[in-house]
Amino acid sequence: MRDTMRQNNTRIPYAKRLGGAGALLAAVFALPLISPTGVPEAAAMVTMSDDAELLDEIVFRSGRILRGRIVDETNDRITFEGELNGIPLNTTYEKSTIAEIRRGVAPAPEKAEPARSERQHPSVSPRSGGRESNARDDGRTSVYLIELSGRFRSDVHEAPLRDALEDARDQQPDYLIVKIDTDWVELQFDEGNEVEIPTNPDELFYAEQIEPLFTEEIRDTWPKQPELVFWVKNAMGGSAFMPFFSETMFFHPEGRIGGLGYVDELFEGDEMFNAKQISLRMGHAQGLLIARGYEPRLADALMREHTVLSYSIDGGEPVYHERMPESESEFLLTDDGDGPNEDTLAQAVRGQLNDTLTLDAETARRLRVSMGTVETLDDLLFELGVNRDYRLIDGKSERIMETWSRRVRRTIQDVPKMWEEYQQIGQGRNATPAQLRGQRIRKLEQIKGALLRMQGAVPGPAVGVPSVAEIDQLIAQIRLQGLGQR
């Protein structure tokens, strides 16, 4: 078990804050984070050893900068080595994730930034009134609100999010507030009345896919940089990672983050294969948190059933312990989930699971994950130091998200009916084999088109129909049947 390490949350590259036994963990965090979806690795600055006068630098598209030496290079990949807190690092990166390569660069002096617990809003002092605003009309601080509700990856999907953010960009707000209140999976009960909670830890890859919309695209394409704030009521399942896209997070009094586990149970079979797949996912999850300076062990607690993690408070700062609490001043976050520690039905119904982590408003505040707990938008902006006469922009985001959700609901209703109609083709009708084949192909194309229009928000198998790939196979088989009957 790793020695207890106090995290001072200094806003400098996270790897530089890990000492002693934590150095090995930091080396793992520096591994390439390439998801099966091709999503670029999470943005996290890692500074290599600066013993040499001239070093090479890799600048990733995510904004992360790596210093060391290029030891091998092909058309598609670069192998990079150096030292990280005394631990040798030798890693291969895909060039598709790299924006720039700098060779023979003198190391720049590192500047420390304020600790998360000491950090105030960058433009104002708390409760001190509104900041200077360059709002285009009346000079008041402008606020754009995006409210995300429904199911992650169906209602909360990249397509409407991109449209809503483009509208926000055109409005040039001072603050971009994203309120999350997403539905969780429904509880399922087995015959023994034990609760089973269907989860999909691989939703982290979709969270990683949409993360650049809130980070890189705002940074690189918005004419005015807003202050991005996430406000959490329910961020369960894959949406649990979304609040970590920003350094500024607030909770609703009923707020929760969690419902991600259990990555340990995703795979069966070869132990080495399982370990590699779990390690891949944990690297991605940790990277999303590290990028904005959050404690990476929270990712393990969110996703792994047997992670034991507790904390205490020392001088207002959280100190993490990878063990059960040993005194009244220590508080349990997650236990090992074994035997008497297994979550109960009552805990599941209340959303208070601790086999994997569920962060509530008070715990998030104590851990310095949340900057405060607020019930209304006025309260949130007051905590940010914004005057009460702020201007709430009447944007299109609400209409965009609602329209998309209606399309999702309609597709969920319509596609199974189309599949039933496909299965009934040829029953009680006088038609030639060629006509029947044509009718079946047209109906399959209709189903395929409906699924494709939703861009993955409504997977076929989730509503009882074949996937798009399986529909293509059915169409090919029907056409082959026609060739054989000529």
Side-chain angles (χ1 to χ4, degrees), residues 271-287:
E271 186 174 340
M272 182 173 294
F273 172 81
N274 295 350
K276 288 181 178 179
Q277 292 299 316
I278 292 171
S279 177
L280 167 71
R281 285 155 177 78
M282 294 316 305
H284 283 263
Q286 291 157 353

Side-chain angles (χ1 to χ4, degrees), residues 124-420:
V124 296
S125 298
R127 304 181 184 272
S128 65
R131 68 174 179 177
E132 289 294 321
S133 170
N134 61 348
R136 289 175 293 175
D137 53 353
D138 58 7
R140 293 181 295 164
T141 299
S142 56
V143 178
Y144 193 103
L145 175 65
I146 297 178
E147 298 192 59
L148 305 180
S149 59
R151 293 296 179 90
F152 183 70
R153 200 169 182 171
S154 56
D155 301 285
V156 181
H157 187 275
E158 179 180 3
L161 273 175
R162 186 176 293 278
D163 290 342
L165 287 168
E166 286 179 357
D167 182 60
R169 179 191 62 198
D170 293 342
Q171 303 294 334
Q172 299 187 32
D174 295 306
Y175 285 86
L176 174 60
I177 310 294
V178 182
K179 183 179 181 181
I180 300 182
D181 187 12
T182 54
D183 296 336
W184 198 19
V185 292
E186 296 178 359
L187 301 180
Q188 297 179 350
F189 302 89
D190 65 15
E191 294 179 357
N193 203 34
E194 294 180 356
V195 66
E196 293 184 0
I197 301 175
T199 59
N200 183 7
D202 274 358
E203 287 186 340
L204 81 93
F205 290 126
Y206 194 70
E208 197 174 33
Q209 181 176 326
I210 64 178
E211 184 260 353
L213 299 178
F214 293 92
T215 55
E216 296 161 24
E217 293 198 15
I218 289 178
R219 182 193 66 208
D220 297 338
T221 68
W222 286 42
K224 173 183 173 182
Q225 300 293 296
E227 210 49 56
L228 175 63
V229 180
F230 276 83
W231 182 18
V232 179
K233 187 169 184 182
N234 280 294
M236 305 293 283
S239 66
F241 286 109
M242 293 187 66
F244 296 101
F245 294 169
S246 171
E247 297 177 2
T248 307
M249 184 195 312
F250 285 79
F251 267 58
H252 185 277
E254 300 172 1
R256 295 182 303 170
I257 290 179
L260 272 167
Y262 301 81
V263 70
D264 312 73
E265 299 179 4
L266 276 181
F267 309 100
E268 297 179 357
D270 181 74
E271 186 174 340
M272 182 173 294
F273 172 81
N274 295 350
K276 288 181 178 179
Q277 292 299 316
I278 292 171
S279 177
L280 167 71
R281 285 155 177 78
M282 294 316 305
H284 283 263
Q286 291 157 353
L288 283 171
L289 270 64
I290 292 171
R292 256 65 64 182
Y294 294 98
E295 165 59 51
R297 280 177 288 186
L298 294 176
D300 293 71
L302 282 164
M303 295 187 65
R304 303 198 71 166
E305 179 181 9
H306 303 296
T307 297
V308 180
L309 190 63
S310 59
Y311 73 96
S312 57
I313 301 296
D314 184 1
E317 295 294 329
V319 181
Y320 292 91
H321 314 281
E322 296 182 13
R323 52 174 167 74
M324 296 293 285
E326 295 183 351
S327 70
E328 292 183 357
S329 63
E330 295 180 6
F331 306 92
L332 179 67
L333 288 173
T334 54
D335 57 32
D336 58 13
D338 290 333
N341 291 331
E342 185 175 3
D343 286 338
T344 65
L345 173 61
Q347 286 175 297
V349 171
R350 291 193 301 266
Q352 297 174 346
L353 306 171
N354 65 10
D355 289 352
T356 57
L357 179 62
T358 302
L359 275 176
D360 60 22
E362 178 59 21
T363 303
R365 184 192 63 80
R366 289 168 61 87
L367 295 178
R368 306 289 190 185
V369 170
S370 168
M371 297 182 71
T373 303
V374 293
E375 190 167 4
T376 68
L377 180 61
D378 281 346
D379 293 339
L380 171 61
L381 293 167
F382 182 77
E383 289 298 319
L384 289 168
V386 177
N387 284 334
R388 295 285 185 178
D389 67 344
Y390 66 87
R391 179 172 61 90
L392 183 61
I393 295 172
D394 185 17
K396 301 176 183 177
S397 66
E398 182 177 3
R399 183 164 66 254
I400 289 169
M401 302 306 297
E402 287 181 351
T403 299
W404 177 264
S405 291
R406 284 198 298 271
R407 289 178 59 194
V408 168
R409 301 283 88 75
R410 186 166 60 248
T411 304
I412 290 173
Q413 293 174 354
D414 291 349
V415 167
K417 294 178 182 177
M418 296 179 198
W419 177 245
E420 185 177 351

Side-chain angles (χ1 to χ4, degrees), residues 18 40 50 69 82 102 105 118 128 149 163 219 325 375 443 460 465:
L18 297 176
D50 291 338
R69 286 192 178 87
R102 304 169 182 162
V105 179
E118 299 171 357
S128 65
S149 59
D163 290 342
R219 182 193 66 208
E375 190 167 4
K443 184 57 68 175
V465 307

